[in-house]
Amino acid sequence: MTQKRSLLPDGIERYATVDMVHESPVMRALRAETSTLPRGGMQIGADQGAFMALLVHLIGARQCLEIGTFTGYSALVVAAALPPDGRLIACDVSEEWTSIARRYWQQAGVADRIDLRLAPARDTLAALIRGGASGSFDFAFIDADKTGYDVYYESCMTLVRTGGVMLLDNALQDGAVVDPSAHEADTEAIRAINQKVRDDPRVESVLLTVGDGVLMARKR
Ligand SMILES: C[S@@+](CC[C@H](N)C(=O)[O-])C[C@H]1O[C@@H](n2cnc3c(N)ncnc32)[C@H](O)[C@@H]1O
């Protein structure tokens, strides 16, 4: 995976993701450490983080879900935007990557708001539904394996309340979604879920060109 996850010209990208964003020192340090990793490009940009924090504030979210945590940047921005009694359930399968996340969540003082579940996300989401959590979440961020997005979207549709918001990351696949010669499994999965969400009468949606594309859906 490349480090660059934006289709913007470099100067504009820098202006939007660096010059125009307030990032806390802990967020900046986490971004710097993650950028040294071979898969560091999976981390969302600071502008997308600021957007997600603003959205969490705007909808007054208290209960949030994340599918795909990596080294913890998106979880950190969401948790920091929650009230002290807010909760984020973060799903991932990597002990190695999320051990970095835990360190920064501690430093930022938000570790007690984040409940990390290390298991395949479809199992965690199914367990939440079985446990009676349907309709109890305000916000969900989907950013894990792309071929799993349909399952994650349907699970989040059940778990998110009416009026709640779901964000699906990497909706542009570095531009591959509009390249007729691109047929990788991830690209096909993203094309399919983009079209499904666009045509889904259960939500109102918009494709934002922030980062690598964020498909935003509000449950009706
Ligand atoms: C793109 S990264 C997430 C980036 C993160 N949201 C951030 O902003 O830094 C995708 C993550 O999904 C996780 N993942 C992949 N397959 C998964 C699965 N089946 N269940 C849960 N997590 C999974 C990977 O371990 C990886 O950490």
Side-chain angles (χ1 to χ4, degrees):
M1 186 152 323
T2 60
Q3 291 288 318
K4 185 170 163 64
R5 297 294 287 181
S6 167
L7 302 174
L8 295 173
D10 288 347
I12 301 287
E13 185 190 1
R14 184 175 168 78
Y15 184 69
T17 65
V18 180
D19 299 345
M20 285 300 295
V21 176
H22 286 296
E23 219 179 11
S24 73
V26 178
M27 289 172 193
R28 200 171 306 121
L30 172 54
R31 170 172 309 292
E33 179 169 347
T34 302
S35 70
T36 67
L37 301 176
R39 302 292 304 276
M42 294 201 296
Q43 177 176 243
I44 63 164
D47 56 335
Q48 184 175 335
F51 165 70
M52 288 169 57
L54 185 58
L55 183 58
V56 165
H57 277 136
L58 282 170
I59 66 170
R62 308 182 80 84
Q63 301 294 329
C64 299
L65 271 172
E66 173 171 275
I67 298 106
T69 296
F70 188 41
T71 57
Y73 190 89
S74 50
L76 174 57
V77 296
V78 168
L82 290 173
D85 64 343
R87 290 290 173 270
L88 169 68
I89 294 183
C91 306
D92 208 288
V93 286
S94 170
E95 175 64 51
E96 184 190 345
W97 285 332
T98 57
S99 65
I100 298 172
R102 287 186 201 271
R103 246 193 302 127
Y104 284 93
W105 297 341
Q106 285 288 351
Q107 278 182 39
V110 298
D112 60 341
R113 298 180 199 168
I114 303 175
D115 174 0
L116 176 65
R117 309 270 176 105
L118 279 180
R122 64 180 65 210
D123 297 345
T124 300
L125 297 171
L128 286 169
I129 293 169
R130 277 198 309 277
S134 297
S136 66
F137 289 89
D138 306 296
F139 174 85
F141 179 50
I142 301 175
D143 187 20
D145 51 311
K146 307 311 160 198
T147 53
Y149 269 33
D150 195 80
V151 170
Y152 304 146
Y153 176 67
E154 288 301 333
S155 302
C156 289
M157 186 68 72
T158 302
L159 288 163
V160 167
R161 64 170 168 83
T162 298
V165 172
M166 293 169 273
L167 301 182
L168 290 75
D169 203 30
N170 305 111
L172 293 173
Q173 286 291 293
D174 292 327
V177 283
V178 294
D179 176 356
S181 68
H183 296 292
E184 293 79 8
D186 284 1
T187 304
E188 295 289 11
I190 290 293
R191 282 194 191 111
I193 193 71
N194 284 351
Q195 193 172 329
K196 174 174 173 170
V197 173
R198 181 196 67 194
D199 297 337
D200 191 340
R202 297 173 295 177
V203 297
E204 51 187 316
S205 67
V206 62
L207 172 57
L208 304 170
T209 53
V210 65
D212 185 35
V214 176
L215 183 55
M216 176 170 165
R218 175 185 177 273
K219 184 173 168 181
R220 292 183 197 276

